[in-house]
Amino acid sequence: MKKINFKIFRFDPEINEAPYFDNFDISVRHGDTVLAGLFYIQKNIDPSLAFRFSCRGAVCGSCAMHINGKYCLACETQILELNTDTITIQPLGHLQVLRDLIVDFTPFYENYSRIKPYLVGKEPAPEKEYIQTPEERSRLNNIIDCTLCGACYGACATAGINKEYLGPAALLKVERFLRDSRDSIANERLRIVDDLHGVWRCHSIFSCQEVCPKNLSPAKAIAEIKKKLLIKKVKR
């Protein structure tokens, strides 16, 4: 067992005038995660502590937060592997804090909805299903693993200064559908992202892919979309 200090961002807009940090000292064992530590604090020390979680298995992305200087999932972040006696935890950036570590994802999902994040099948519709060859399906490998945790959005400097910017997660999803052989609105998707609030607002800082818990590359996806747009313009 080792004593670890949890330094946690706290803010309840109904009772606090400004955010502050609260400190909790807890004993942890090998294998304990940051999420487990938050559960312990909530259950045994301060039941008012608010944070999001769901699957607790790095699948849903609900527990994305800023831990010791990096956005990651609390459920898969091992406390002792951080090699420090103090763990500083803050909410995702660029989103309004509702309470403590919980943020309002409304702007994130409003931008996400603009890209039409659903398959628009080709006509005529098949009687049973759209068929993909193994090669066609392989084009979607990895890129479909995005859980919309918001870590890339929180790490993106452009998202912090431009609320209309679609953001790395949304643009990654655009590339996912552009690769899908079953989708029929590639031109419309390219039109949606071809403006100053789309791919051209990305400054290629690469912080998005540095923090992705699924090891995806939104920056590469954005570069691929830019390439498609430039090829399309040349062919006109």
Side-chain angles (χ1 to χ4, degrees):
M1 301 287 282
K2 182 179 181 180
K3 189 74 75 173
I4 297 292
N5 173 250
F6 271 58
K7 184 179 179 181
I8 305 176
F9 178 97
R10 305 298 301 273
F11 181 60
D12 185 342
E14 294 186 359
I15 59 176
N16 300 131
E17 292 185 3
Y20 64 97
F21 282 93
D22 214 348
N23 289 276
F24 304 91
D25 293 321
I26 66 173
S27 296
V28 303
R29 299 170 296 182
H30 177 73
D32 285 345
T33 64
V34 171
L35 184 61
L38 293 173
F39 275 126
Y40 180 87
I41 293 169
Q42 187 187 63
K43 182 178 179 180
N44 299 284
I45 304 176
D46 187 350
S48 70
L49 178 63
F51 54 92
R52 278 200 178 103
F53 73 96
S54 184
C55 73
R56 292 189 270 190
V59 175
C60 69
S62 299
C63 63
M65 53 189 70
H66 192 266
I67 302 172
N68 278 13
K70 182 178 179 180
Y71 291 101
C72 49
L73 300 181
C75 69
E76 67 174 2
T77 303
Q78 302 281 316
I79 295 173
L80 297 183
E81 288 185 4
L82 293 174
N83 295 317
T84 180
D85 293 331
T86 298
I87 297 178
T88 303
I89 307 174
Q90 302 178 73
L92 290 176
H94 314 324
L95 296 167
Q96 180 183 355
V97 175
L98 297 179
R99 181 175 163 188
D100 297 341
L101 303 176
I102 299 176
V103 296
D104 183 1
F105 266 82
T106 299
F108 176 88
Y109 280 110
E110 285 179 344
N111 286 336
Y112 180 64
S113 67
R114 287 162 53 198
I115 66 152
K116 299 189 175 182
Y118 44 82
L119 187 72
V120 180
K122 295 179 179 179
E123 296 293 342
E127 183 178 347
K128 291 184 178 181
E129 60 186 344
Y130 290 97
I131 303 297
Q132 277 189 319
T133 66
E135 180 183 357
E136 289 171 335
R137 175 58 181 78
S138 69
R139 297 172 192 161
L140 304 180
N141 288 351
N142 301 122
I143 200 169
I144 63 173
D145 292 339
C146 174
T147 62
L148 300 176
C149 69
C152 62
Y153 187 89
C156 177
T158 301
I161 60 174
N162 184 348
K163 297 304 180 183
E164 293 185 68
Y165 174 52
L166 288 171
L171 292 171
L172 178 77
K173 289 288 186 178
V174 171
E175 175 62 9
R176 172 256 180 274
F177 286 109
L178 291 175
R179 293 186 189 183
D180 199 318
S181 62
R182 301 164 296 177
D183 193 66
S184 65
I185 60 168
N187 288 334
E188 183 174 354
R189 296 189 192 283
L190 289 173
R191 179 187 57 76
I192 291 171
V193 302
D194 186 17
D195 64 24
L196 291 179
H197 303 302
V199 291
W200 305 114
R201 183 56 64 186
C202 172
H203 298 298
S204 302
I205 300 174
F206 298 103
S207 56
C208 53
Q209 66 188 55
E210 287 292 324
V211 302
C212 178
K214 296 300 180 181
N215 295 315
L216 304 179
S217 180
K220 181 179 179 181
I222 293 170
E224 290 295 327
I225 296 172
K226 288 179 178 178
K227 187 188 302 183
K228 290 181 176 70
L229 284 168
L230 290 173
I231 292 173
K232 186 178 179 181
K233 292 178 189 296
V234 170
K235 288 182 177 180
R236 286 177 181 172

